[in-house]
Amino acid sequence: MDPDWWQNTEALGKEYGDLIFLKSLGQPMVIINSYDVAVDLFEKKSTNYSDRPTSVMVNELQKWDWNLINLCYGEGLRKLRAPVQKFFESSNILNFEDVMKREAQKLLRSLLQSPDEYGQHIRTSAASLIMMITYGHEIDSYDDPFVRLARNSAEHLETALQKGAFLVDNIPWLKYLPKWFPGAGFHVVAEEGARLSNDLRSKPYFFTKEKILRNPVTRSFTSKQIEECLSLADRVSEDDDDVISATTAVCYLAGAATSASVIMFFLMAMTLHPEVQRRAQDEIDRVIGDSRLSELSDRDQLPYCAALLKEIHRCYPILPLGVAHATKEADTYSGYYIPAKTVVLPNHWAMLMDPKEYPVPEAFRPDRFLPEEGRRMPRDPSKIAFGFGRRICPGKPFAEHSLFLLVTHILAVFNISKAKDVDGNDIEPDIKIRSHGVMREPEVFECLIKARSSEASALIQME
Ligand code: HEM
């Protein structure tokens, strides 16, 4: 399938309307190209539109049934979503601003030392932050054993989730074939997936739990949940272990690559749009000065930087077709019959490129999000980029806070520009967008990341 097929569905949407009904390998599928339809279905009819497509390969054979992202809506999901939502909500996660700032400064130092390795630094930084927040586990490199485990698991899961990758998802009785049977090679893949799923859930959690019970010093999502168990029952039961290990592991799976991908798009945008970069830096220089780095409380005073982040989410959606929902029961909408268990894809790409909401949508223009007399403010892209209804991303407040700090810190300290050839002329970056699974990000491209001044470099050492 064309890796950019959401763009084709956007074109089909222009021809056939805001809702497209398809059948793929016998599976009914609806693609939603309009924000209003997404709200009608995912929010106003949320009891019916909050399931996920089920997968024999993923949920049953690879035993990812603890991963709340893949679960259908119900008691099991609510039990796992509630602690994640509570921990990552804005008022609580603000208590972790010190951790977000420390991790952002670690990234600045790495960029100063070896700017050409920025891709690796960004991935390490995103992994390090989410590991600190969920487990209080500090990592030194992208090769940390827990990070490696999470990376391998995520890659394995992405392959398993690809539609049509395994016939057993269309013909479930194939799961009963013995491993040696011709065509039952999927069992070998499934066994490896089940091992990774089990390790990812249990290894970082039990390692952290033991550390916390010995010496409860580092605050984290794990320590908070363990403390709650101890205060209620004086012990952590097996049921508690099941919930805590599942809720913490899912944060890494969902939170590391997504944040890294947004920062990669940000660097790409800054390389391609120096005038936007300069305007954001001017705002930071004027409001914050050069004696400190920004804090979350500065956000209201930095409206252009906030608008810049919105435009990154709009122009470069990392999940162009969102994450698939599914219907529980049959429904009719606008005269269409939508069967039970239909896969429902919110086409974020089409919604964020809607010219009625965002005039000249292909242009990268943060100032479309600045107030202007007589003009209605366009819809905040974060209302789309983080999904809808009961399955909306529970990490949204944390992602938004940490991305704001990262973006404003990088802009305060570095100039990002096109690389130069030997004669000092700009080299046009060769930008390739890589789609893996449902997510996409730019591959590493040639650019220059240089400290803006000696004061700027000193700021990193100082903080
Ligand atoms: C820029 C970063 C991020 C973006 C753009 C993003 C976007 C999304 C989207 C579109 C969904 C699916 C929503 C739906 O089904 O309609 C989702 C789900 C989810 N996200 Fe995020 N996310 C980000 C970061 C994070 C972080 C940092 C965490 C960790 C705390 C996280 C945890 C989750 C979880 C657990 C789900 C599954 C929710 C469910 O199925 O009920 N995300 N995210």
Side-chain angles (χ1 to χ4, degrees):
M1 192 180 281
D2 177 354
D4 292 346
W5 68 287
W6 58 86
Q7 297 184 37
N8 302 338
T9 61
E10 186 203 1
L12 281 176
K14 283 185 185 131
E15 204 173 327
Y16 298 109
D18 293 339
L19 193 139
I20 305 173
F21 190 86
L22 311 165
K23 260 196 177 175
S24 165
L25 302 168
Q27 165 69 57
M29 195 182 267
V30 162
I31 298 173
I32 298 176
N33 286 324
S34 123
Y35 176 79
D36 291 334
V37 176
V39 169
D40 279 351
L41 299 185
F42 296 133
E43 298 185 358
K44 297 187 186 150
K45 294 184 170 213
S46 61
T47 33
N48 198 32
Y49 283 85
S50 300
D51 272 2
R52 295 284 190 214
T54 49
S55 156
V56 175
M57 185 63 172
V58 173
N59 291 32
E60 283 184 45
L61 298 179
Q62 299 203 9
K63 302 196 168 41
W64 285 102
D65 48 358
W66 55 266
N67 176 4
L68 72 90
I69 303 175
N70 301 333
L71 294 186
C72 283
Y73 202 81
E75 199 37 48
L77 174 81
R78 272 195 292 275
K79 197 169 159 191
L80 295 178
R81 238 193 100 102
V84 181
Q85 214 161 325
K86 187 168 154 215
F87 182 80
F88 285 97
E89 73 187 5
S90 198
S91 57
N92 186 54
I93 206 67
L94 281 176
N95 297 324
F96 287 80
E97 180 173 356
D98 57 334
V99 181
M100 295 183 226
K101 277 162 54 185
R102 213 168 39 243
E103 292 297 328
Q105 284 151 26
K106 268 167 66 181
L107 173 63
L108 299 183
R109 277 195 288 276
S110 309
L111 289 175
L112 191 65
Q113 274 161 18
S114 46
D116 292 344
E117 289 165 37
Y118 71 87
Q120 181 81 335
H121 297 325
I122 287 168
R123 279 192 287 273
T124 308
S125 166
S128 183
L129 174 59
I130 198 81
M131 280 282 175
M132 271 310 284
I133 298 276
T134 39
Y135 298 109
H137 172 63
E138 183 137 25
I139 69 163
D140 297 326
S141 82
Y142 201 51
D143 215 29
D144 174 275
F146 291 151
V147 174
R148 204 167 347 111
L149 171 63
R151 203 167 55 233
N152 293 342
S153 312
E155 279 167 13
H156 207 88
L157 186 58
E158 269 162 23
T159 314
L161 279 170
Q162 267 165 33
K163 247 324 351 69
F166 296 97
L167 201 56
V168 66
D169 278 329
N170 295 83
I171 312 174
W173 61 259
L174 289 179
K175 70 184 171 193
Y176 299 113
L177 291 179
K179 211 163 58 179
W180 50 263
F181 201 82
F186 62 85
H187 276 304
V188 178
V189 182
E191 271 174 17
E192 175 61 3
R195 184 189 66 76
L196 287 167
S197 153
N198 179 57
D199 285 358
L200 179 66
R201 179 179 182 175
S202 55
K203 284 193 171 167
Y205 168 62
F206 285 109
F207 172 82
T208 310
K209 179 184 173 190
E210 204 189 305
K211 261 183 25 187
I212 291 170
L213 294 179
R214 265 189 285 124
N215 184 18
V217 280
T218 320
R219 289 169 309 138
S220 66
F221 185 26
T222 312
S223 73
K224 184 110 182 178
Q225 292 191 83
I226 288 181
E227 271 166 31
E228 267 169 25
C229 297
L230 294 176
S231 70
L232 289 172
D234 228 18
R235 60 189 275 273
V236 183
S237 68
E238 267 183 40
D239 270 1
D240 295 329
D241 281 337
D242 283 349
V243 170
I244 307 174
S245 60
T247 52
T248 46
V250 79
C251 292
Y252 183 90
L253 269 182
T258 42
S259 303
S261 170
V262 175
I263 294 298
M264 288 294 289
F265 273 118
F266 156 72
L267 282 189
M268 183 189 93
M270 294 304 91
T271 308
L272 298 177
H273 304 283
E275 68 298 345
V276 170
Q277 179 178 178
R278 234 175 346 263
R279 198 165 155 194
Q281 286 172 327
D282 286 348
E283 184 180 71
I284 294 171
D285 294 348
R286 203 174 53 250
V287 175
I288 311 286
D290 61 5
S291 59
R292 69 174 178 94
L293 288 168
S294 57
E295 299 183 350
L296 290 175
S297 57
D298 295 317
R299 198 196 314 232
D300 289 349
Q301 277 69 54
L302 296 170
Y304 190 76
C305 291
L308 165 57
L309 248 172
K310 285 183 188 167
E311 187 67 343
I312 301 276
H313 284 308
R314 190 196 68 80
C315 228
Y316 309 114
I318 60 166
L319 293 158
L321 279 174
V323 177
H325 290 222
T327 51
K328 201 180 269 312
E329 288 163 5
D331 185 31
T332 46
Y333 178 78
S334 269
Y336 287 97
Y337 174 72
I338 301 174
K341 298 194 187 309
T342 296
V343 173
V344 188
L345 289 167
N347 189 348
H348 291 191
W349 176 272
M351 296 178 211
L352 292 164
M353 290 289 156
D354 178 358
K356 289 196 278 310
E357 191 65 28
Y358 311 107
V360 200
E362 58 290 348
F364 186 76
R365 282 189 192 156
D367 42 4
R368 66 173 89 236
F369 295 109
L370 294 178
E372 199 184 297
E373 227 181 272
R375 181 173 63 92
R376 180 180 71 81
M377 188 69 105
R379 179 177 303 121
D380 183 341
S382 74
K383 287 190 167 171
I384 297 167
F386 290 92
F388 296 92
R390 296 184 185 186
R391 303 311 288 257
I392 190 173
C393 173
K396 178 175 183 249
F398 165 64
E400 290 194 308
H401 291 328
S402 58
L403 289 171
F404 172 80
L405 288 176
L406 281 167
V407 160
T408 51
H409 284 200
I410 293 174
L411 287 170
V413 173
F414 295 105
N415 281 326
I416 302 142
S417 59
K418 291 179 183 166
K420 307 274 178 218
D421 66 17
V422 280
D423 300 319
N425 301 314
D426 283 349
I427 302 174
E428 278 313 309
D430 176 19
I431 290 175
K432 294 195 181 81
I433 308 294
R434 191 164 66 102
S435 296
H436 40 106
V438 291
M439 225 188 76
R440 60 182 210 136
E441 66 173 348
E443 286 179 8
V444 168
F445 56 92
E446 227 182 332
C447 67
L448 266 184
I449 302 177
K450 271 175 75 176
R452 292 176 67 199
S453 62
S454 49
E455 287 82 9
S457 325
L459 208 51
I460 311 178
Q461 318 300 344
M462 210 170 74
E463 293 274 336

